[in-house]
Amino acid sequence: MILKTALHLVEEYSAANEFRQGDKQGMGPAKIWKPPDPERYKVNVDGATFESQKKAGIGVVIRDEKGEVVVALSKLVNAPLGAVEIEAKAMEAGVVFARDVGIREAEFEGDSLIVCIALQGGEGAPSSIQNVLEGTMELVSGFRSFAFSHVKRQGNVPAHLLAQYAKETENYVVWLEECPNFLEHTCAHDISVVSHSYP
């Protein structure tokens, strides 16, 4: 528990420093959700820990260039994973899910700075997630094109809500070509913000 808490604090500290440096340079992580390039898909992922249940949740939402939800996943993980570990598993699940629904050109996005930097070729990821990261890179090599990007938490709300929803499931739930009711407002908000920011 002490190790998991320490890793979580290190991630928050790193994220805070990255935000400050980025703000100074005008190059911080995205604050809002942005649609993918035409003919590509944006795969947003998030993980959540349910400490009292000794379980965790994963949320994945895949949207097209118009911001429409193509498919979404809420998955329960029957293991007491820490914050960094479940974020790494969420990114892996996002890659697997995108592959399984037939997507081959995607941008994978999450709000864990440590995971995103590691998948972009950076260093500093804890040893507890190295195998998951390596497996993710092996999986994504089968895509025609892919990228990993970091977004602030407020730009990743639908994936976060799906991760939290996993607490209500026995295993997993998939929404194909429909937006879950509890995501409609946040997805519409994302599209609205983008249209005002990038006319």
Side-chain angles (χ1 to χ4, degrees):
M1 286 303 295
I2 292 172
L3 176 60
K4 288 177 181 176
T5 303
L7 288 171
H8 182 64
L9 291 172
V10 166
E11 179 173 20
E12 287 188 350
Y13 176 78
S14 298
N17 282 336
E18 179 75 11
F19 295 161
R20 283 194 211 103
Q21 291 170 6
D23 289 343
K24 286 178 186 173
Q25 300 164 2
M27 295 171 48
K31 296 178 184 176
I32 62 170
W33 183 86
K34 296 177 186 175
D37 292 334
E39 298 183 13
R40 293 187 80 183
Y41 295 89
K42 174 71 73 73
V43 183
N44 282 84
V45 307
D46 199 18
T49 58
F50 312 133
E51 291 181 10
S52 61
Q53 299 176 1
K54 296 184 178 179
K55 296 179 181 179
I58 288 172
V60 181
V61 58
I62 303 179
R63 289 186 274 182
D64 62 19
E65 61 195 82
K66 297 176 184 175
E68 299 290 331
V69 174
V70 176
V71 63
L73 168 72
S74 183
K75 180 180 179 182
L76 186 66
V77 178
N78 289 304
L81 299 176
V84 177
E85 289 80 11
I86 193 58
E87 292 288 356
K89 290 295 288 180
M91 190 63 81
E92 178 187 52
V95 172
V96 170
F97 189 50
R99 180 199 65 188
D100 288 351
V101 298
I103 288 171
R104 292 296 178 269
E105 297 183 359
E107 181 179 344
F108 299 93
E109 189 169 73
D111 57 27
S112 172
L113 190 64
I114 287 176
V115 170
C116 292
I117 286 177
L119 290 170
Q120 290 168 350
E123 298 179 356
S127 58
S128 62
I129 63 171
Q130 288 295 342
N131 286 343
V132 176
L133 296 177
E134 289 170 10
T136 301
M137 290 306 298
E138 189 174 324
L139 287 164
V140 87
S141 65
F143 284 68
R144 284 192 292 270
S145 68
F146 67 89
F148 293 100
S149 62
H150 178 234
V151 66
K152 288 189 178 183
R153 286 188 175 95
Q154 61 263 40
N156 204 36
V157 175
H160 173 75
L161 292 175
L162 285 162
Q164 292 291 332
Y165 185 81
K167 193 186 296 186
E168 313 298 324
T169 72
E170 291 185 15
N171 190 359
Y172 68 91
V173 181
V174 172
W175 293 264
L176 182 60
E177 295 182 358
E178 67 173 314
C179 182
N181 292 338
F182 60 92
L183 291 193
E184 287 178 357
H185 176 73
T186 54
C187 288
H189 174 74
D190 284 347
I191 296 169
S192 171
V193 170
V194 167
S195 64
H196 284 91
S197 302
Y198 303 93

